[in-house]
Amino acid sequence: MIKRFKYFLHGLLKYDFRKYDIKLVLVVLALSVIGVLTINSAADGFTEKQIMGVCVGLAVMIFFSLIDYNFIANFQWILYAINIVMLVAVLFLGMNVNGATRWFSLGGFGTLQPSEFAKIFMLIIFAKFISDNKDRISRFSTIMITGILYIVPLVLILEEPDLSTTLVFLFMFCVLMFVGGLSFKIVGGILVTVIPLGGLFLWYVTQPFQVLLDDYQQTRIMTFLNPSEYLLTTYAQQYNSVMAIGSGMLTGKGLNNNTLTSVKGGDFISEPQTDFIFAVLGEELGFVGSCIVIGLLLFVVIECLLIARDAADMTGRLIASGMAAIISFQAFVNIGVATAILPNTGLPLPFVSYGLSSLMANFIGIGLVLNVGLQRNRR
């Protein structure tokens, strides 16, 4: 314990705090404040927990920003074991909500969703693994080992079931492998294979005899392809979301309005504080407010990529790039669902949607990125 404390103090002394990315911290804080205000307007009973989550999250972010990411990454196999145990445990001991077993009940403290923290675990684990194997990353044996290690937690999350989080993992894996130096020939070959297979998959899952997707997942795809046929059923929420965003016009109706025609007052969307938080944003803050939120999220992603570009080593570059991938993918999907350009699926809007597990995991991830930034150009 004393040795680790000395390591921590030695790490603090070697940092050049002029490189501490205050801009990134302030933008994340701004997004979190907007999230608290919007959640307070969207639904009752969630604001206090979200404020608590933001306060604790900021402290956790600063804490992780001061710990050498390489020190954490050296525990990659311990983290992998914890990750697997956590994902297996939730399948057997977790609480079931609407047919999905994704959460541990924490009593009065709410719930814990292991798959949210698994994103950060996987980011650290495979940033280290790919970095250690960067000279062999394009070998078939390395790709196979990486894929096998990656697919185990992926299958466990799919079993919950949680298809949307599984897609986040797949996107992050593609980004990590690409940034890690995977040969362009292999990337090209994968694209040539995957694109037609994707089209075949889409055709197959729309057929009545398909067995790959659950009924509700197939219905969501069919709803996306033929929205008019499901207007009064599964497309209703997305339709109401689009109407709400449009009704906000340029500057919105203002926070905390209770008109019967609003998504909150009229109860047109279930759980508006989570998956459809952007509908509340669009309605109450208008086009201007929506653009500000999108701009802040874009700033976070770009800042992560800039830190990745100047990272001291491959592990740092992969951590920062992977965090950019997580935030950009989740933001795109959340906004895409709210605006009906994507099938309905549940992913939180980073730092804005209610959900303490997601919020805490994102703060930890940004803390790691800040540490990568603190050590930039240290060669």
Side-chain angles (χ1 to χ4, degrees):
M1 182 65 71
I2 295 175
K3 183 182 292 186
R4 290 182 179 179
F5 183 69
K6 287 182 178 179
Y7 183 92
F8 176 69
L9 289 178
H10 181 262
L12 288 179
L13 293 174
K14 73 180 180 181
Y15 294 147
D16 181 359
F17 283 95
R18 290 172 299 179
K19 296 178 181 177
Y20 201 90
D21 199 333
I22 298 297
K23 300 190 299 299
L24 181 56
V25 174
L26 292 176
V27 170
V28 166
L29 178 59
L31 280 168
S32 302
V33 170
I34 292 172
V36 169
L37 294 174
T38 310
I39 289 166
N40 182 62
S41 181
D44 298 323
F46 299 97
T47 308
E48 290 185 4
K49 287 184 178 180
Q50 189 74 2
I51 291 174
M52 179 188 70
V54 170
C55 293
V56 174
L58 286 170
V60 168
M61 178 183 69
I62 293 171
F63 174 76
F64 275 93
S65 73
L66 300 178
I67 300 179
D68 188 343
Y69 60 88
N70 281 302
F71 174 73
I72 299 174
N74 284 333
F75 295 94
Q76 63 179 131
W77 300 120
I78 296 176
L79 293 176
Y80 189 83
I82 293 172
N83 193 32
I84 298 300
V85 169
M86 193 169 57
L87 292 174
V88 170
V90 77
L91 292 175
F92 292 96
L93 305 175
M95 56 187 291
N96 187 289
V97 179
N98 297 326
T101 309
R102 305 172 187 169
W103 304 270
F104 288 119
S105 175
L106 301 179
F109 294 98
T111 59
L112 177 72
Q113 188 173 354
S115 60
E116 289 294 336
F117 294 98
K119 297 172 189 174
I120 306 302
F121 280 134
M122 295 289 278
L123 175 59
I124 298 169
I125 293 162
F126 284 91
K128 174 64 173 174
F129 184 81
I130 293 171
S131 177
D132 288 345
N133 293 277
K134 61 180 181 292
D135 296 329
R136 305 182 292 276
I137 194 64
S138 294
R139 292 182 184 175
F140 179 76
S141 58
T142 305
I143 295 173
M144 284 296 294
I145 293 171
T146 308
I148 291 169
L149 289 170
Y150 206 89
I151 204 170
V152 174
L154 207 66
V155 169
L156 292 172
I157 291 172
L158 196 58
E159 279 296 309
E160 294 181 358
D162 193 350
L163 180 60
S164 53
T165 301
T166 304
L167 295 176
V168 177
F169 274 62
L170 287 173
F171 183 74
M172 181 173 68
F173 177 75
C174 293
V175 170
L176 291 178
M177 292 295 285
F178 178 77
V179 175
L182 188 65
S183 168
F184 281 99
K185 291 182 179 179
I186 296 177
V187 173
I190 292 172
L191 290 175
V192 168
T193 305
V194 167
I195 291 175
L197 285 178
L200 183 62
F201 172 81
L202 183 60
W203 171 83
Y204 174 75
V205 297
T206 60
Q207 304 306 308
F209 52 78
Q210 71 87 28
V211 294
L212 294 178
L213 300 182
D214 293 332
D215 289 342
Y216 80 93
Q217 293 170 335
Q218 184 190 39
T219 300
R220 288 181 177 182
I221 293 176
M222 296 301 294
T223 300
F224 175 71
L225 296 175
N226 303 290
S228 59
E229 295 182 14
Y230 298 85
L231 186 58
L232 299 179
T233 54
T234 50
Y235 186 63
Q237 285 207 90
Q238 283 184 285
Y239 178 80
N240 291 336
S241 174
V242 172
M243 292 299 102
I245 293 170
S247 70
M249 295 190 286
L250 185 63
T251 57
K253 300 175 181 177
L255 291 168
N256 299 305
N257 77 82
N258 289 304
T259 60
L260 291 177
T261 55
S262 69
V263 290
K264 177 184 178 182
D267 196 26
F268 294 121
I269 296 175
S270 63
E271 308 294 335
Q273 75 278 4
T274 53
D275 299 342
F276 282 94
I277 193 74
F278 194 77
V280 182
L281 270 168
E283 181 182 53
E284 302 195 344
L285 300 181
F287 179 76
V288 173
S290 299
C291 286
I292 289 173
V293 170
I294 292 172
L296 292 174
L297 287 166
L298 181 61
F299 179 90
V300 173
V301 172
I302 291 173
E303 201 68 12
C304 287
L305 292 176
L306 291 175
I307 289 173
R309 181 195 62 186
D310 298 329
D313 53 33
M314 179 59 77
T315 303
R317 184 173 297 116
L318 290 166
I319 287 174
S321 299
M323 199 60 205
I326 292 172
I327 293 174
S328 60
F329 187 83
Q330 290 195 181
F332 176 74
V333 171
N334 180 278
I335 296 171
V337 169
T339 54
I341 65 172
L342 292 174
N344 192 355
T345 188
L347 277 178
L349 190 61
F351 300 106
V352 179
S353 291
Y354 175 76
L356 301 187
S357 295
S358 172
L359 186 67
M360 206 61 59
N362 286 331
F363 272 121
I364 293 172
I366 292 297
L368 294 171
V369 172
L370 287 168
N371 186 262
V372 174
L374 266 177
Q375 303 188 65
R376 71 185 83 182
N377 298 324
R378 191 200 68 200
R379 294 184 175 88

